[in-house]
Amino acid sequence: MARFKTLDDLGEIRGKVVLVREDLNVPMADGSVTDDTRIRAAVPTVLELADRGAKVLILAHFGRPKGQRDPRQSLSLVIDAVQHVLGREVMFVPEIAGSVVAQTVGILREGDIALLENTRFWPGEEANDAELARQIAANADAYVSDAFSAAHRAHASTEGLARVLPAYAGRAMQAELEALEKALDDPEHPVAAVVGGAKVSSKLEVLKHLVGRVDHLIIGGGMANTFLAARGIDVGKSLCEHDLAETAEQILDAADAGGCTVHLPYDVVVAREFAANPHSLRTCNVHEVAPDEMILDVGPQAIEALADVLKTCRTLVWNGPLGAFETPPFDTATVALARTAAALTREGSLVSVAGGGDTVAALNHAGVVDQFSYVSTAGGAFLEWMEGKTLPGVAALEAAAR
Ligand code: ADP
Ligand code: MG
């Protein structure tokens, strides 16, 4: 028995009412959607349900209206974008439960799609109120959970509904869960993890979880400086959390005990000022960083060594850039290692999964997003998964399948 049910288990749904939780929390400027990635992620599930003859009711949150109606955060603002991306007409319903939704269901034909109002207009949503979930469920026959990026929140529309209706993972949720399972829960070994980014403090739980699971832990970015400093290396003016030296030591000890090899850079790219192509730019051994210099990227020798590590691995999970990639040439290591991972993935020797806001931007910059096995845009939910946490929305789907 699979861990969760999918649309394949849904059976005959012609004329049935299906609630689909999507993530439509898109960025807007001057009244229009500036990035429709999340709407596009909803397309396969919504169209499959509609094409199978269901009456589709889309549920989503939008912004942070804190349990009150706020016209500036109404999902009616994204209906044009949703219709455009789906290529279908979508009816907007200014409620999520009650008689207005019931009347809408009455006039919808098989295959019609409606978008319900922002779930967060109702205080019961974030409170995960069972009564609200029952009221929403009263108008439907099944619940499809398709927003992994919202699954780390136990809300009525992400978790509660799975308790009161037959619950299924949508295609986007299914793809995300299958990719993440292959990367960390049940991966082919050896497994490498790349953890980079600015600060150790923001990813402590991630590091602690990974050292017990992966064979190689590659630490880059600003957080590598904290580990280097903990080992007694003078990192000059680099971004560094000196107060976390002891924590860094504990993570290194845990890695040692668990048979996980930690890779810290042994050469680095440094500069005295943080600017594009600064005059003071140079590459040096980590032991040669001057007191007035900052480490801003992993050096060329280390990049080569890390590429060799990836070549021996079957699985890669990546969160956080190796350097200050927004500013050239400190994108060099991130771009190089990303391209190595992409090439190994194309050859079929590596399963590569990456996620994180800046990580996705860095992989886009390297031009390899579509060459990784899976790139998660889920942000907070992706990080919680990397921390080994059980996401409530996922747990509810699993419970519904038992
Ligand atoms: P993600 O969003 O993918 O989880 P983070 O937010 O943790 O990643 O980290 C990304 C940030 O880390 C980037 O803005 C990058 O410039 C910064 N960064 C990486 N390496 C360094 C470094 N050596 N010094 C300062 N900042 C760095
Ligand atoms: Mg970030």
Side-chain angles (χ1 to χ4, degrees), residues 2 23 61 66 77 89 95 103 128 198 205 208 220 225 230 297-298 309 311 325-326 348 357 374 381 390 402:
D23 183 352
H61 76 278
K66 304 227 166 84
L77 298 173
E89 221 173 280
E95 300 289 338
Q103 283 158 21
N128 198 8
E205 298 308 316
K208 285 182 187 162
N225 304 335
D297 200 11
V298 168
V309 171
K311 284 173 193 155
F325 76 100
E326 300 93 336
Y374 191 81
T390 305
R402 281 197 285 271

Side-chain angles (χ1 to χ4, degrees), residues 196-198 203 221-222 225 239 295-296 319-326 356-359:
K203 294 185 182 171
N225 304 335
L239 177 65
I295 301 172
L296 292 165
N319 170 256
L322 295 178
F325 76 100
E326 300 93 336
D358 294 291
T359 308

Side-chain angles (χ1 to χ4, degrees), residues 3-363:
R3 281 171 49 223
F4 51 87
K5 292 184 182 166
T6 71
L7 300 192
D8 298 326
D9 303 300
L10 199 44
E12 177 57 50
I13 50 170
R14 189 158 296 280
K16 295 266 169 64
V17 180
V18 181
L19 281 163
V20 193
R21 177 55 157 97
E22 295 290 356
D23 183 352
L24 301 180
N25 196 24
V26 288
M28 309 256 311
D30 303 325
S32 53
V33 174
T34 53
D35 179 355
D36 64 4
T37 308
R38 286 174 163 168
I39 303 176
R40 283 187 279 119
V43 171
T45 297
V46 172
L47 291 191
E48 178 175 340
L49 293 169
D51 292 344
R52 285 167 65 177
K55 300 179 178 182
V56 184
L57 302 180
I58 303 173
L59 276 173
H61 76 278
F62 189 46
R64 296 176 181 273
K66 304 227 166 84
Q68 287 177 19
R69 276 191 191 270
D70 176 351
R72 289 162 306 174
Q73 300 185 72
S74 169
L75 272 173
S76 61
L77 298 173
V78 307
I79 188 92
D80 288 346
V82 170
Q83 296 192 100
H84 177 75
V85 174
L86 283 173
R88 302 275 170 97
E89 221 173 280
V90 179
M91 182 188 289
F92 180 72
V93 186
E95 300 289 338
I96 56 172
S99 58
V100 173
V101 178
Q103 283 158 21
T104 303
V105 164
I107 59 171
L108 288 179
R109 292 155 305 175
E110 292 174 3
D112 279 353
I113 304 165
L115 173 62
L116 307 187
E117 185 53 287
N118 185 352
T119 52
R120 292 192 183 169
F121 282 4
W122 286 266
E125 161 72 339
E126 292 183 68
N128 198 8
D129 177 33
E131 182 50 33
L132 179 65
R134 271 193 296 276
Q135 287 169 9
I136 300 170
N139 290 311
D141 301 299
Y143 166 67
V144 173
S145 175
D146 202 33
F148 177 83
S149 51
H152 58 314
R153 313 232 185 262
H155 292 171
S157 70
T158 61
E159 201 269 355
L161 280 173
R163 296 168 178 274
V164 290
L165 279 174
Y168 306 84
R171 296 302 182 197
M173 173 71 93
Q174 180 186 356
E176 181 108 23
L177 292 178
E178 286 172 358
L180 299 190
E181 185 162 277
K182 255 201 252 168
L184 260 196
D185 299 329
D186 188 20
E188 261 193 72
H189 286 266
V191 182
V194 172
V195 184
K199 288 183 172 179
V200 170
S201 51
S202 63
K203 294 185 182 171
L204 266 183
E205 298 308 316
V206 171
L207 291 165
K208 285 182 187 162
H209 180 61
L210 290 177
V211 290
R213 303 208 139 225
V214 305
D215 306 288
H216 296 277
L217 177 61
I218 294 167
I219 303 178
M223 59 198 311
N225 304 335
T226 298
F227 282 87
L228 292 170
R231 289 197 163 168
I233 289 168
D234 185 354
V235 297
K237 285 204 306 183
S238 303
L239 177 65
C240 180
E241 294 166 288
H242 291 284
D243 54 322
L244 285 180
E246 207 170 302
T247 310
E249 288 291 354
Q250 285 164 5
I251 290 168
L252 294 174
D253 288 345
D256 238 13
C260 167
T261 308
V262 176
H263 302 266
L264 287 167
Y266 44 78
D267 64 337
V268 285
V269 180
V270 298
R272 283 201 300 274
E273 70 272 38
F274 184 28
N277 306 303
H279 284 299
S280 57
L281 183 76
R282 69 183 188 107
T283 296
C284 68
N285 185 281
V286 285
H287 294 284
E288 296 164 357
V289 179
D292 61 347
E293 287 179 320
M294 286 173 279
I295 301 172
L296 292 165
D297 200 11
V298 168
Q301 284 181 30
I303 298 173
E304 242 176 80
L306 296 178
D308 285 340
V309 171
L310 292 195
K311 284 173 193 155
T312 68
C313 289
R314 302 289 293 163
T315 305
L316 166 69
V317 42
W318 185 333
N319 170 256
L322 295 178
F325 76 100
E326 300 93 336
T327 310
F330 309 112
D331 57 342
T332 308
T334 306
V335 169
L337 200 65
R339 291 194 177 149
T340 299
L344 293 169
T345 307
R346 280 200 307 273
E347 286 165 20
S349 71
L350 191 70
V351 169
S352 52
V353 173
D358 294 291
T359 308
V360 176
L363 296 183

Side-chain angles (χ1 to χ4, degrees), residues 338-387:
R339 291 194 177 149
T340 299
L344 293 169
T345 307
R346 280 200 307 273
E347 286 165 20
S349 71
L350 191 70
V351 169
S352 52
V353 173
D358 294 291
T359 308
V360 176
L363 296 183
N364 257 317
H365 171 67
V368 297
V369 166
D370 47 9
Q371 297 170 44
F372 269 54
S373 310
Y374 191 81
V375 174
S376 172
T377 54
F382 179 82
L383 267 187
E384 287 199 19
W385 166 78
M386 270 189 92
E387 293 171 350

